[in-house]
Amino acid sequence: MSRSLAWLCLALSACQVAGPAPSVPGGPAPVVVSRAPVTGVQQSEARALYQSAEESFAARRFFEVLRTTAELVDRYPSSDVSGDALLLSARAELEVGANERADAAAERYIGLLAADDPRATAVRLLQVEAWEGDPATQLDRLLRIRTFAGPEQRAQAEEATRAARDALSLEELEEVLAGAPGDGPLAPLPQTTLALGLLERGDDERAIALAERALEGGVGAPERNTATSVARGELPEGRRPVRSFRIATVLPLGGPPALADFARQLREGVEVAVATALADPFEVSLVSLDDEGEPELGAQLMAQLDSGGVEGVIGFLEENAVVAAGRARRRGVPIVSPTARSTDGAGEGVYALDGPDPEAARAVARYAAFRAYQRVAIILPQSSHAIEEADAFQAEAESYGIPIVGRFGYAPGSTFFESQILGARDALRRAEIAALGLGEEDTLRVEMLEPVGIFVPIPPEDVEFVATQIAHFALDTLAIEVTGTSGWTDRRVLDRLLPRYTDGVVATAPVGATAGSPGLQRFREAYEEHFQRSLVSTTPAVGYDAALLLLEALRPGRITPGEVRTAFGRLEEVEGATGTFTVVGERVVRRTQLVRIQNRSLVPVEVVTEPF
């Protein structure tokens, strides 16, 4: 049992909301689900059921608890233990992980209490436990608290409020406050934080009004000093928003010619972001360094930048370069790599735009379930990026009862895949023959069956080789459908390959990366205005997006490495030139959609929530 849940159980016991009606004169009245006449026999039967439910709870037989309490509430809603049974059911739902049902049962119980009944607070804290990982909902429930049973409970609630408040962005905090009561005893805590954020953004009038409201609500230390300063239109001592930033690029400008040209185009995109992403009153300067494609040199340059006052660095194109640079830091200045596929081992605050996307792989698995695939084989490079996506696909597919008949890996950088493709084909055949109880002589009949598939989570540079060899070994004529992730829908891949090699493949593609998307159009206009020439390549857009994310993290005006990393971790739905980005933990992910490739075009694929 978690520490907070253990505390909650003690609080509930102290408030007498989990046991039979008190016999002490003047104690709190029993909570009943329905006020109607009830006989002594019915009271006895209800109490016997409740005792049975409590014993089941103590023995951790939570589903028995739920059955027993449901029967009690249904048959004896007017008994003096009906409310206790409802609350016990909420606790049991929480124990079995049914958090929404736990929250609903707790809310129903609270609805049976008077507005100022202190017993409601312990139940609100149960709701906070149910919504762990969702600070917005946690804060909403906390703001609905009206009174406390004692100072210990108040301290617990204030601690939970600060934790939920501090996990939210300014926009999220404002949204929660707009939808929840603003006159509860905990409201001044998030009100003070929002007031400070508004003042830092220049919204003085709203900031002062909100700070005054927090002071009127009795905000205590340590928030009171902040609220007092903001109410005067001043930032607290030692806190000033920064509007001037210095960022750097470390790219292989002096590397091999093809790599150097690629790096130059990435830097062009960064320059456009520096010039346009943040308007007045921000000022952004750019330092450009050349690591010549050498990880050791890149690490040395990163160490200098880490101690030299930059707020963030963009660069380090390959995994080994990213890891070396990340390990060279002492202060933990954030790094954003436009192209690395993994940042494992680089330390916190290192982000990659081209990292693995397990959710995209799970979306493909749901499509496989929707299509009623009988079985799937996986072909993948033995890289951490592909392995993570394959693991996510396999777990999701198997949750729908789709067996994975084999995983056929190859060394990254390979160009010939006969053994993997034929291995996948033969594994699918053998599994079908075994499932149908047929013999090897029936193989031709098996080839007519469908649907089965292969899942191929590969990077763009491998698609040209894998796709042509899949066609060469005629998997498409054997009713074996091909699925994959966003490597298949990379525009450079589609432009380079003949359509017959990719037509019919179902894969994921970034949302907002098409030629007519608003983000790409804004970038194109900014690029052509900045350089006074046409945009002819998509590569600068990648550098632009890496810089855009870093600058959005700097927008709040807090520049210590820890503050920038915190702000970066809160980025959500940032519309760039190559997609719409959200940061989940330490990972940058693009919002994706499921598509079918047809004549180099991407046709959206609809998948119902519950597969057939």
Side-chain angles (χ1 to χ4, degrees):
M1 181 183 295
S2 68
R3 182 167 63 90
S4 57
L5 184 57
W7 180 92
L8 174 62
C9 292
L10 290 173
L12 292 171
S13 175
C15 292
Q16 299 190 26
V17 295
S23 56
V24 179
V31 180
V32 296
V33 172
S34 174
R35 296 197 176 277
V38 59
T39 67
V41 172
Q42 290 173 325
Q43 289 280 25
S44 297
E45 291 175 349
R47 292 187 180 192
L49 281 173
Y50 185 76
Q51 182 178 353
S52 174
E54 283 191 313
E55 291 170 354
S56 296
F57 191 95
R60 302 189 63 79
R61 298 193 298 270
F62 300 117
F63 289 105
E64 290 183 15
V65 175
L66 293 172
R67 286 193 294 270
T68 305
T69 54
E71 179 185 359
L72 193 162
V73 171
D74 183 57
R75 292 177 58 190
Y76 307 110
S78 301
S79 68
D80 57 12
V81 290
S82 60
D84 299 326
L86 180 60
L87 183 55
L88 189 61
S89 74
R91 294 170 60 193
E93 296 281 20
L94 184 61
E95 291 287 350
V96 301
N99 296 338
E100 292 188 19
R101 291 201 298 269
D103 180 75
E107 193 67 40
R108 184 182 176 191
Y109 179 89
I110 291 170
L112 303 174
L113 301 173
D116 59 350
D117 194 317
R119 290 176 290 186
T121 300
V123 188
R124 289 292 182 201
L125 293 174
L126 184 150
Q127 292 178 304
V128 171
E129 181 81 14
W131 289 107
E132 184 176 359
D134 184 350
T137 305
Q138 287 181 316
L139 184 58
D140 175 88
R141 301 302 185 263
L142 289 159
L143 293 176
R144 297 178 189 279
I145 290 175
R146 309 303 303 177
T147 187
F148 300 99
E152 183 180 353
Q153 189 182 67
R154 183 181 188 116
Q156 176 77 9
E158 288 180 349
E159 180 184 355
T161 301
R162 291 188 178 99
R165 172 199 68 186
D166 293 345
L168 297 174
S169 68
L170 206 63
E171 292 77 10
E172 291 169 331
L173 187 59
E174 188 166 14
E175 184 177 353
V176 173
L177 284 171
D183 57 351
L186 298 172
L189 300 181
Q191 286 171 349
T192 300
T193 299
L194 179 58
L196 175 59
L198 292 172
L199 188 64
E200 288 182 326
R201 290 189 174 186
D203 194 346
D204 293 16
E205 184 176 348
R206 292 177 62 209
I208 291 170
L210 196 58
E212 290 175 345
R213 187 175 181 185
L215 291 168
E216 291 169 0
V219 65
E223 286 83 5
R224 185 171 185 83
N225 289 341
T226 298
T228 300
S229 295
V230 175
R232 294 196 301 262
E234 303 171 355
L235 288 171
E237 183 178 355
R239 186 178 181 103
R240 294 291 180 269
V242 176
R243 296 292 183 259
S244 179
F245 308 126
R246 185 169 174 256
I247 66 174
T249 60
V250 180
L251 295 165
L253 300 167
L259 186 61
D261 182 62
F262 182 76
R264 178 186 58 79
Q265 292 186 58
L266 288 174
R267 187 180 63 180
E268 287 180 351
V270 174
E271 290 177 15
V272 174
V274 166
T276 64
L278 297 181
D280 291 337
F282 297 100
E283 294 181 2
V284 185
S285 60
L286 179 65
V287 178
S288 182
L289 301 178
D290 177 13
D291 66 3
E292 301 176 6
E294 296 293 336
E296 291 184 2
L297 177 57
Q300 294 173 15
L301 296 173
M302 185 65 238
Q304 296 170 16
L305 291 169
D306 186 63
S307 60
V310 300
E311 279 73 67
V313 178
I314 300 153
F316 310 107
L317 305 187
E318 296 181 345
E319 182 176 341
N320 57 347
V322 171
V323 172
R327 291 175 175 175
R329 301 169 303 162
R330 288 192 174 184
R331 294 172 56 237
V333 167
I335 298 172
V336 186
S337 171
T339 56
R341 295 205 171 96
S342 174
T343 61
D344 292 346
E348 64 177 356
V350 181
Y351 310 92
L353 264 63
D354 203 21
D357 189 350
E359 181 52 40
R362 285 188 281 269
V364 179
R366 290 190 288 273
Y367 167 79
F370 171 67
R371 286 280 293 135
Y373 280 9
Q374 299 303 298
R375 54 198 58 84
V376 176
I378 301 176
I379 298 174
L380 72 160
Q382 296 291 16
S383 64
S384 59
H385 179 287
I387 289 170
E388 185 170 350
E389 291 186 344
D391 288 346
F393 175 91
Q394 181 166 347
E396 188 77 3
E398 290 178 342
S399 75
Y400 286 111
I402 303 173
I404 306 301
V405 299
R407 290 169 60 142
F408 302 89
Y410 61 85
S414 299
T415 58
F416 197 57
F417 311 96
E418 178 180 9
S419 63
Q420 290 80 19
I421 293 171
L422 294 183
R425 181 199 68 184
D426 292 344
L428 289 168
R429 283 177 163 179
R430 286 193 300 271
E432 290 188 86
I433 289 170
L436 295 171
L438 301 175
E440 287 294 335
E441 67 278 4
D442 296 311
T443 299
L444 289 177
R445 291 180 56 195
V446 173
E447 291 172 358
M448 300 300 294
L449 297 176
E450 62 177 359
V452 297
I454 55 171
F455 176 59
V456 194
I458 57 178
E461 62 267 23
D462 288 1
V463 173
E464 180 176 359
F465 300 101
V466 173
T468 54
Q469 291 177 48
I470 284 175
H472 174 76
F473 292 111
L475 264 65
D476 54 342
T477 68
L478 303 179
I480 298 174
E481 300 184 10
V482 181
T483 60
T485 45
S486 296
W488 287 84
T489 56
D490 186 281
R491 178 46 56 187
R492 291 164 296 180
V493 170
L494 297 178
D495 290 343
R496 197 160 49 235
L497 278 174
L498 292 174
R500 68 188 183 90
Y501 295 122
T502 56
D503 277 357
V505 174
V506 172
T508 54
V511 173
T514 58
S517 67
L520 182 55
Q521 186 61 32
R522 279 197 300 271
F523 169 68
R524 180 182 298 278
E525 293 172 358
Y527 178 96
E528 295 178 351
E529 173 68 21
H530 184 75
F531 289 109
Q532 290 297 297
R533 64 172 181 264
S534 297
L535 176 67
V536 296
S537 168
T538 59
T539 300
V542 179
Y544 173 86
D545 282 349
L548 176 67
L549 292 174
L550 177 58
L551 293 172
E552 286 297 327
L554 290 169
R555 186 186 290 275
R558 315 309 306 164
I559 62 170
T560 69
E563 289 172 332
V564 179
R565 291 197 303 268
T566 297
F568 205 105
R570 293 174 177 170
L571 295 179
E572 185 174 359
E573 294 291 299
V574 177
E575 187 178 41
T578 65
T580 301
F581 299 89
T582 294
V583 178
V584 180
E586 290 272 300
R587 176 167 295 161
V588 179
V589 295
R590 287 179 175 89
R591 183 151 51 93
T592 60
Q593 61 181 337
L594 204 62
V595 298
R596 177 177 285 102
I597 303 173
Q598 195 64 43
N599 195 26
R600 295 192 172 119
S601 296
L602 305 179
V603 182
V605 173
E606 294 292 335
V607 176
V608 295
T609 304
E610 292 297 329
F612 297 120

